[in-house]
């Protein structure tokens, strides 16, 4: 990837690039990177490691749109990003950001795809042909006359990729394109990216957390930490040392499998070739003591916009419990949590709460407005007229954000904002915490800190309900699981029993049943 | 474990094709996915590994979900989980295209607004509002902009109410007094008028009728905004205005997204306190997140537009010529105004004509310099022209009817002082019905 003889084949090349945002520590530090034509490069790293900054350098958004101090050179398709503006790279770089909402300019998919072509002054007949090709390449021809506002998350992101691809760029830059998506939408997008690379030879650089899928797409991976490239090589090797590696990779590391698996399929092959006999002594969630019922929904219907969002839901949440509410997008997870929090009024049935229930919305931005993270937490105490008995520092520490206490919440990464929002709600001391998609788009250390905080909150007499698509989170944290579909409860019960079902199985269970997590296997090994 | 029956580890019974209840559909490719959870899954069927639950996965490319229902009984619980499509079945029929070209809707909106100006009697304004509602219902597009319809109407109603309240508090007539409020006279330097006092029925009626007309025009705009494709509207404008038009349309699009952001912020604040409403600093809790979210979204959109080549071309000779012509138009218009003040009407007319010509030249020069091309510009058909002609006929007919007094002198305007019910005449009402010309699309089978 870095050989000098390959420079002619390189689509983009970073030479000694350093960059710092205004009044901030360096986001990139002496980065050298070359990406050859047809490659898929996976960029890994925790929150604020410099992934987005690295990607935004490819077409000059950094430094032209960001300001700050830039040194070194980035050359894409033979053009220097210092000499030209991002709009001058529209024909050679396609950029897709985390939030697909921020991408759409025109409220019709087909015309939005053509937006870049109109700007480039392309001939009408050529433009028409190009749009048709892109619609077919991404399998979105049936969405051509839809408004982006009516699309699902996965459809939006595929349409955004189509808009970025329309100009026939040499390089497609994807900044965590699946971070806002449910698993179905994410799979959809990653499958489309794989096809673009395989069938059309599009060069891709992608920052991504869903490594079980992205890892198998990539030709090479780059690990970033504190603005530096700390590792660069084959995806399996780089991912192996990354805390956010898929559970099967951690399992492979634990059991010494070679090659390390990235997918369940690889892991099954490894497990077959290297059989292992373990005494099944897995963690049993049923052992968790169940205290008093803190909140209960009894036959609850909630209607939104004239149609039932949830129907005839009965549920109890008791002390010491962590309930994972699962189901596809639109199944009614958020509505159920809002009903438990008293934010959605039942049309039928009742919600009985013995204690205060606090709800953390999916989008942390709607909650954050204070000047610093610490003030954000203190604001909750002030609103509730409660003194700070150390709970602010306690929640800052338990969610691993005490280093960020004096930062502006809006200056943080998405994962950090999510943790600040959870801390800002939890600090109020509500015994029941209702978390809506808390791990969406957050990195592995953030997720680990969150899981510990959730378990501690439940262990100290509280209860937590999590609406999530993350089956691994449910496997590690939940004592009970409820599965919703079309607003109805389709299954509810002990987490182990529900997750062991064929549809919601965590990775480790698929490979080494009855173990659910790497921790279970580790325990069985006596480590 | 295949889905052909049997019992899973969680005790939920799987159902076979023949066990699904009425109306529930089975997803055949899911049978492949289910094998992923089994230890003896064949290595050849590589689809679907990883942590995502299978019920969240899409079928492999090229395999679609069947639509035929199954007719036997079974566990609804399990079968429901198989129906994985996130969008309703009619999702592919959601079409954001406008039924008529932007020019037709523009003609409709201008004609409807002109009709209100020519016949501001509340009975006819009510008719236009009803027609606008019908148009919005029948031709409203499935787009984010359409969300603004109730917002715009609410703003219009609020403005109308404020108009009535201000008139009632500050204007005093000779009609019947409805009630009396405490009054005070503002200092002379601020106008010296009296606020409060006797609230006069004639004043309230007059203000009410005027406010109703304003609401009518806003209702027309709201329906136009819902029905028209804004991008087609930009395309139909001279090229010089395209980039400016995109910016304006994006600015208008902020209305619905801001409404949603306000709702989210309000809910988040209640969530923070465990459901109780804030009393102190509520505005701060609402405003700051909405503003900051809006700014972040605007920044993201600007970066996206920049990355996709918006405003890419550099200044050309045509732009320089356009700038000079624009400056010339401004100077000539200023001179025309001075001439008008000086009662040199002939010179004023000449100067104004020259300013107009310079302005047209500036737009033409700027358009010629634009290299931006248009994707699938919509051309007007014969039927489009017929609809335009019919809707334009409404205000023309109304003007003729008013000029020739065909509808009765007091029919089009309401004599407020008498406080009688407004008159209704058939001819103006029939002319109003021309505004329903877009319904020809129904006959054409467009909707």
């Amino acid at each position: 990837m870095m050989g000098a003889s390959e420079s002619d084949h390189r689509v983009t090349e970073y030479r000694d690039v350093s960059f710092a945002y205004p009044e901030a520590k360096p986001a990139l530090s002496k980065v050298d990177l070359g990406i050859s034509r047809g490659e898929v490069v996976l960029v890994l790293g925790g929150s604020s490691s410099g992934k987005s900054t690295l990607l935004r350098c490819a077409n000059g958004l950094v430094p032209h749109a960001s300001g700050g101090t830039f040194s070194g050179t980035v050359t894409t398709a033979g053009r220097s990003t210092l000499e030209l503006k991002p709009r001058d790279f529209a024909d050679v770089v396609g950029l897709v950001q985390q939030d697909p909402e921020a991408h759409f300019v025109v409220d019709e998919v087909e015309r939005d795809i053509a937006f870049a072509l109109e700007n480039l002054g392309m001939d009408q007949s050529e433009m028409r042909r190009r749009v048709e090709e892109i619609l077919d390449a991404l399998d979105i021809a049936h969405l051509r006359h839809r408004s982006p506002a009516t699309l699902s998350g996965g459809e939006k992101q595929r349409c955004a990729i189509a808009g970025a691809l329309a100009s026939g760029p040499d390089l497609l830059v994807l900044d965590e394109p699946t971070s806002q998506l449910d698993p179905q939408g994410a799979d959809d997008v990653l499958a489309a990216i794989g096809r673009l690379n395989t069938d059309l030879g599009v060069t891709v650089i992608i920052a991504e957390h869903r490594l079980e899928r992205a890892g198998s797409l990539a030709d090479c991976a780059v690990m970033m930490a504190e603005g530096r490239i700390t590792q660069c090589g084959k995806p399996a090797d780089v991912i192996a040392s990354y805390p956010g590696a898929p559970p099967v990779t951690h399992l492979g590391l634990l059991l010494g499998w070679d090659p390390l698996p990235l997918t369940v399929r690889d892991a099954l092959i490894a497990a077959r070739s290297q059989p292992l006999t373990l005494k099944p002594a897995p963690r049993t969630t049923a052992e968790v003591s169940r205290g008093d019922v803190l909140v209960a929904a009894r036959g609850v219907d909630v209607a939104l916009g004239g149609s039932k969002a949830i129907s005839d839901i009965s549920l109890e949440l008791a002390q010491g419990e962590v309930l994972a509410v699962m189901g596809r997008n639109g199944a009614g997870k958020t509505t159920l949590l809002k009903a438990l929090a008293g934010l959605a009024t039942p049309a039928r049935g009742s919600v009985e709460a013995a204690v205060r229930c606090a709800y953390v919305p999916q989008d942390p931005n709607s909650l954050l407005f204070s000047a610093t993270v610490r003030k954000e937490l203190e604001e909750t105490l002030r609103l509730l007229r409660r003194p700070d008995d150390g709970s602010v520092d306690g929640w800052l520490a338990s969610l691993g954000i005490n280093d960020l206490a004096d930062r502006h919440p809006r200056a943080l990464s998405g994962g950090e904002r999510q943790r600040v929002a959870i801390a800002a709600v939890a600090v109020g001391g509500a015994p029941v915490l209702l978390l809506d998609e808390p791990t969406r788009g957050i990195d592995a250390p953030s997720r680990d800190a969150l899981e510990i905080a959730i378990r501690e909150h439940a262990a100290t007499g509280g209860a937590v309900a999590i609406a999530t698509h993350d089956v691994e989170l449910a496997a590690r944290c939940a004592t009970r699981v409820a599965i919703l579909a079309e607003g109805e409860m389709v299954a509810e019960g002990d987490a182990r029993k529900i997750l062991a079902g064929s549809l919601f199985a965590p990775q480790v269970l698929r490979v080494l049943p009855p173990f659910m997590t790497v921790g279970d296997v580790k325990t069985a090994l006596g480590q | 474990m295949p889905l052909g029956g049997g019992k899973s580890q969680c005790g939920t019974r799987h159902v076979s094709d023949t066990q699904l209840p009425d109306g529930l559909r089975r997803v055949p490719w899911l049978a492949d996915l289910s094998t992923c959870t089994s230890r003896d899954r064949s290595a050849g069927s590589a689809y679907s590994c990883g942590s995502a639950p299978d019920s969240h996965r899409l079928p492999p490319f090229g395999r679609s979900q069947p639509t035929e229902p199954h007719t036997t009984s079974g566990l609804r619980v399990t079968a429901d989980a198989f129906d994985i499509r996130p969008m309703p079945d009619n999702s592919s029929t959601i079409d954001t295209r406008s039924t008529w070209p932007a020019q037709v809707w523009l003609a409709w909106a201008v004609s409807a607004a002109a009709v209100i100006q020519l016949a501001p009697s509340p009975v006819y304004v009510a008719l236009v509002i009803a027609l606008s509602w019908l148009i919005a219902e029948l031709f409203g597009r499935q787009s984010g902009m359409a969300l603004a319809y109730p917002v715009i109407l609410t703003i219009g109603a609020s403005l109308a109410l404020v108009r009535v309240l201000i008139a009632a508090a500050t204007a005093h007539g000779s009609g019947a007094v409805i009630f009396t409020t405490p009054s005070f006279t503002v200092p002379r330097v601020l106008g010296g008028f009296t606020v409060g006092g006797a609230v006069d029925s004639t004043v309230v009626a007059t203000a009410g009728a005027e406010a109703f007309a304003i609401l009518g025009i806003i209702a027309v705009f709201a329906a136009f905004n819902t029905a028209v494709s804004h991008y087609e509207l930009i395309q139909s404008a001279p090229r010089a205005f395209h980039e400016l038009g995109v910016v304006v349309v994006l600015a208008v699009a902020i209305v619905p997204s801001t409404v949603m952001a306000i709702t989210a912020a309000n809910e988040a604040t209640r969530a923070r306190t465990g459901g109780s409403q804030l009393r102190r600093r509520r505005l701060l809790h609402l405003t700051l997140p909405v503003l900051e979210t809006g700014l972040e979204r605007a920044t993201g959109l600007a970066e996206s537009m920049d990355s996709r080549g918006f405003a890419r071309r550099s200044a050309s000779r045509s732009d320089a010529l356009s700038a000079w012509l624009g400056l010339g138009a401004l100077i000539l218009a200023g001179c025309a105004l001075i001439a008008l003040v000086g009662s040199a009407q002939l010179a004023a007319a000449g100067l104004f004509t020259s300013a107009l010509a310079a302005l047209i030249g500036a737009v033409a020069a700027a358009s010629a310099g634009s290299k931006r091309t248009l994707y699938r510009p919509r051309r007007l058909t014969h039927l489009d022209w017929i609809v335009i002609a019919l809707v334009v006929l409404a205000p023309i007919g109304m003007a003729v009817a008013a000029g020739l007094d065909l509808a009765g002198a007091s029919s089009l305007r309401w004599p407020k002082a008498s406080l009688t019910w407004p008159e209704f005449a058939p001819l103006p009402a029939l002319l109003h019905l021309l505004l329903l010309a877009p319904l020809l699309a129904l006959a054409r089978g467009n909707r």
Side-chain angles (χ1 to χ4, degrees):
Chain A
M1 189 175 74
M2 302 288 290
S5 60
E6 293 180 358
S7 63
D8 288 347
H9 301 289
R10 282 180 189 162
V11 174
T12 188
E13 190 160 14
Y14 293 61
R15 279 188 188 275
D16 200 24
V17 174
S18 296
F19 173 73
Y21 290 100
E23 299 172 21
K25 64 179 185 179
L28 291 180
S29 190
K30 297 189 177 303
V31 169
D32 286 298
L33 179 69
I35 299 171
S36 299
R37 202 168 295 279
E39 271 190 330
V40 177
V41 177
L42 176 64
V43 182
L44 307 176
S47 296
S48 304
S49 60
K51 301 189 298 293
S52 292
T53 308
L54 180 84
L55 265 53
R56 286 155 55 87
C57 284
N59 71 342
L61 277 176
V62 169
H64 290 295
S66 61
T69 312
F70 186 94
S71 66
T73 58
V74 177
T75 311
T76 301
R79 304 175 197 173
S80 166
T81 59
L82 284 179
E83 291 166 12
L84 298 169
K85 292 185 174 173
R87 69 197 69 158
D88 300 312
F89 287 87
D91 56 336
V92 289
V93 178
L95 176 77
V96 179
Q97 308 191 56
Q98 281 185 32
D99 180 8
E101 298 281 353
H103 184 87
F104 297 107
V105 179
V106 187
D107 70 347
E108 187 180 345
V109 168
E110 179 184 10
R111 293 183 186 277
D112 189 79
I113 293 170
F115 180 72
L117 306 180
E118 289 181 325
N119 292 330
L120 293 171
M122 188 176 279
D123 177 64
Q124 277 189 7
S125 56
E126 169 71 7
M127 196 160 23
R128 184 78 200 274
R129 185 181 64 78
R130 186 74 67 85
V131 170
E132 295 300 327
E133 286 172 359
I134 294 294
L135 287 169
D136 286 342
L138 283 149
D139 197 20
I140 53 170
H142 60 293
L143 306 175
R144 64 189 307 157
H145 297 306
R146 294 268 298 274
S147 164
T150 67
L151 302 178
S152 70
E155 288 171 336
K156 274 183 194 167
Q157 199 61 284
R158 276 193 295 158
C159 293
I161 292 172
L165 269 181
S167 59
D170 295 341
L171 176 66
L172 183 61
V173 180
L174 303 158
D175 188 2
E176 299 190 18
T178 68
S179 66
Q180 312 271 325
L181 307 183
D182 59 87
Q184 177 189 320
D187 279 4
D188 211 6
V189 168
L190 291 172
I193 293 165
R195 273 202 322 177
L196 288 171
N197 176 255
T198 310
D199 298 350
L200 307 179
V202 176
T203 310
V204 180
I205 177 166
I206 177 172
E208 179 60 44
H209 284 305
R210 292 175 199 261
L211 302 179
E212 65 273 12
R213 292 261 173 241
S216 55
L217 290 178
D219 297 300
C220 62
V222 169
M223 175 91 82
M224 296 202 67
E226 296 182 346
R228 292 176 185 275
I229 293 180
T230 55
Q231 205 179 346
C232 178
K234 287 183 179 174
D237 298 340
V238 178
I239 290 172
S241 59
Y242 180 57
V248 285
T249 309
H250 286 297
L251 185 67
L253 279 170
L254 181 69
L255 301 176
W257 287 342
D258 186 24
L260 278 174
L262 287 178
T263 64
V264 171
R265 182 191 170 199
D266 298 342
L268 282 169
I269 294 168
R272 273 204 297 267
S273 61
Q274 300 169 49
L276 181 73
T277 309
L278 286 174
K279 282 191 176 179
R283 171 176 64 102
T284 53
T285 52
E287 290 168 4
V288 177
S289 59
R290 195 165 186 263
D292 297 336
V293 173
L294 299 180
V295 60
R298 307 207 190 281
V300 169
D301 287 4
V302 176
L304 294 176
S307 60
K308 274 188 186 175
I310 56 173
S311 176
D312 197 24
I313 298 284
S314 294
L315 189 76
E316 286 184 346
L317 191 57
Q319 277 183 320
E321 281 191 326
V322 178
L323 171 72
V325 182
M326 305 183 78
R328 74 178 81 87
N329 277 353
K333 303 186 295 294
T334 297
T335 308
L336 174 58
L337 259 55
K338 283 183 179 175
L340 293 175
L343 298 172
T345 309
R348 194 177 70 83
S350 64
V351 173
E352 296 158 15
V355 292
R356 204 158 53 81
C357 304
Y359 166 75
V360 183
Q362 271 187 45
D363 178 13
N365 294 324
S366 53
L367 197 74
L368 307 175
F369 73 99
S370 297
T372 66
V373 169
R374 178 178 291 282
K375 284 181 181 168
E376 198 68 67
L377 270 65
E378 289 170 349
E379 176 68 14
T380 305
L381 294 178
R382 199 189 60 72
L383 290 170
L384 295 168
R385 297 179 184 177
R386 291 174 53 147
D388 180 9
D389 52 358
S391 54
V392 169
D393 285 322
W395 276 102
L396 286 173
S398 67
L399 285 169
I401 47 175
N402 31 11
D403 291 347
L404 311 174
D406 297 323
R407 299 267 305 273
H408 194 290
R410 294 272 174 171
L412 304 178
S413 69
E416 289 166 342
R417 286 186 199 190
Q418 187 76 48
R419 280 185 285 161
V420 172
I422 292 169
V425 172
V427 75
V432 176
L433 290 181
L434 307 163
L435 311 179
D436 200 350
E437 296 286 358
T439 57
R440 200 174 65 156
I442 73 175
D443 60 5
S446 305
R447 196 185 57 209
D448 292 345
L450 178 64
E451 287 175 10
I452 291 167
I454 288 171
R455 282 197 290 262
E456 279 181 359
H457 185 75
T460 52
V464 183
I466 315 163
T468 185
H469 291 289
D470 188 345
V471 73
E472 303 297 342
L473 172 77
R476 284 192 292 265
C477 279
T479 58
R480 276 198 307 141
V481 169
I483 297 174
L484 301 184
E486 294 180 357
E488 295 173 5
M489 185 81 80
V490 296
E492 193 258 326
D494 177 73
R496 171 164 293 279
K497 285 183 180 170
I498 298 291
L499 293 174
S502 60
L503 295 181
F504 287 89
Q507 285 193 346
V508 175
L509 187 74
R510 294 179 189 206
V511 179
L512 289 180
F515 301 101
M516 293 236 295
T517 65
V518 178
D520 289 347
V521 179
K522 213 178 255 187
T523 307
L525 287 169
Q527 291 182 13
Chain B
M1 179 182 290
L3 290 177
K7 203 166 171 79
S8 73
Q9 293 179 50
C10 66
T12 309
R13 191 161 67 91
H14 292 304
V15 288
S16 67
D17 278 356
T18 55
Q19 290 175 304
L20 287 168
D22 289 355
L24 293 173
R25 290 166 301 157
R26 178 166 166 72
V27 189
W29 53 265
L30 199 64
D32 298 349
L33 301 187
S34 69
T35 61
C36 196
T37 62
S38 171
R39 292 196 71 183
D40 60 356
R41 177 180 180 275
S42 70
S45 54
Y47 184 78
S48 186
C49 297
S51 63
D54 289 340
S55 63
H56 289 141
R57 295 186 189 287
L58 275 184
F61 285 108
R63 298 168 80 175
S64 59
Q65 198 176 8
T67 52
E68 63 275 16
H70 296 264
T71 54
T72 52
S73 61
L75 286 179
R76 178 175 174 74
V77 166
T78 316
D80 269 353
F82 295 162
D83 188 7
I84 51 85
R85 291 285 168 170
M87 298 297 289
D89 285 342
N90 65 347
S91 59
S92 60
T93 65
I94 299 173
D95 194 333
T96 192
R97 279 176 299 177
S98 177
T99 309
W100 296 103
Q103 294 93 326
V104 172
W105 289 122
L106 193 61
W108 178 85
V110 171
S111 299
V115 163
I116 290 176
Q117 292 293 324
L118 291 164
S121 171
V123 69
Y124 299 127
V125 173
L127 190 57
V128 173
I129 291 174
L131 295 178
S132 302
W133 174 81
L134 189 65
I135 292 291
E137 281 292 308
L138 289 176
F139 299 105
R141 295 163 63 234
Q142 296 273 353
S143 73
M145 289 292 220
L147 291 174
Y149 182 69
V151 179
I152 295 172
L153 281 188
T154 307
I155 291 170
S158 306
L159 286 175
L161 186 64
V162 168
R163 168 82 181 84
V164 174
L165 289 176
I166 289 175
T170 57
H172 306 281
S174 54
V177 174
I178 303 172
F179 57 86
T180 306
T181 62
S183 64
F184 68 94
T185 303
V186 299
R188 195 179 179 83
V189 68
L190 294 175
F193 56 89
T194 301
V195 178
V199 176
D200 189 282
S201 59
T202 314
V203 168
V204 171
T206 307
E210 288 169 1
F212 196 52
I214 293 170
L215 179 62
I217 290 172
I218 290 174
V220 167
F221 171 73
F224 167 73
N225 186 57
T226 306
V228 76
S229 161
H230 295 77
Y231 207 69
E232 279 183 15
L233 194 63
I234 295 168
Q235 282 193 328
S236 61
R239 288 186 189 190
F241 297 129
H242 283 184
E243 287 176 353
L244 179 66
V246 170
V247 173
V248 171
V249 166
L250 289 172
V252 174
I254 280 176
V255 175
S257 63
T258 303
V259 171
M260 287 188 277
I262 289 171
T263 308
N266 199 14
E267 203 167 65
T269 310
R270 283 178 63 200
R272 186 179 192 134
T273 55
S276 49
Q277 288 277 14
L278 291 187
R279 288 188 177 82
R280 293 166 55 217
R281 300 181 73 191
R282 185 164 180 267
L283 195 62
L284 193 68
H285 278 263
L286 274 181
T287 313
L288 279 179
V290 170
L291 281 179
E292 288 181 336
T293 303
L295 281 173
E296 280 180 359
R297 195 159 284 177
T299 306
L301 188 60
E303 287 184 354
S304 170
M305 290 168 72
D306 202 9
S307 300
R308 295 167 75 191
F310 185 69
R312 192 169 191 251
R313 95 193 153 88
S314 49
S316 63
R317 281 185 188 173
S318 302
D319 292 319
L321 177 63
S322 172
W324 282 113
L325 284 170
L327 184 65
L330 203 63
I331 292 168
L332 287 168
C335 293
L337 192 66
I338 292 167
L340 202 62
V341 170
S343 299
Q345 291 179 346
L346 195 64
L351 286 166
F352 182 75
T353 308
S354 306
L356 196 63
L359 191 64
I360 292 168
V363 172
S367 298
S370 172
K371 289 191 173 61
R372 193 182 158 89
T373 48
L374 300 179
Y375 176 73
R376 296 183 76 178
R378 195 163 169 176
R379 317 221 182 272
L380 292 177
T381 63
H382 292 304
L383 189 59
D384 297 335
W385 282 113
I386 290 170
V387 174
I388 289 175
L390 286 172
V391 295
V392 168
L393 204 57
I396 292 173
M398 202 70 76
V400 172
L404 302 177
D405 198 17
L406 298 176
S410 58
S411 167
L412 301 181
R413 292 178 186 277
W414 183 39
K416 280 91 61 172
S418 62
L419 281 185
T420 53
W421 287 105
E423 286 182 27
F424 179 81
L427 180 62
L430 286 173
L431 288 170
H432 274 80
L433 294 184
L434 289 171
L435 294 174
L436 289 177
L439 263 63
L440 283 174
L442 299 175
R444 198 174 60 178
N446 263 21
R447 302 287 289 191

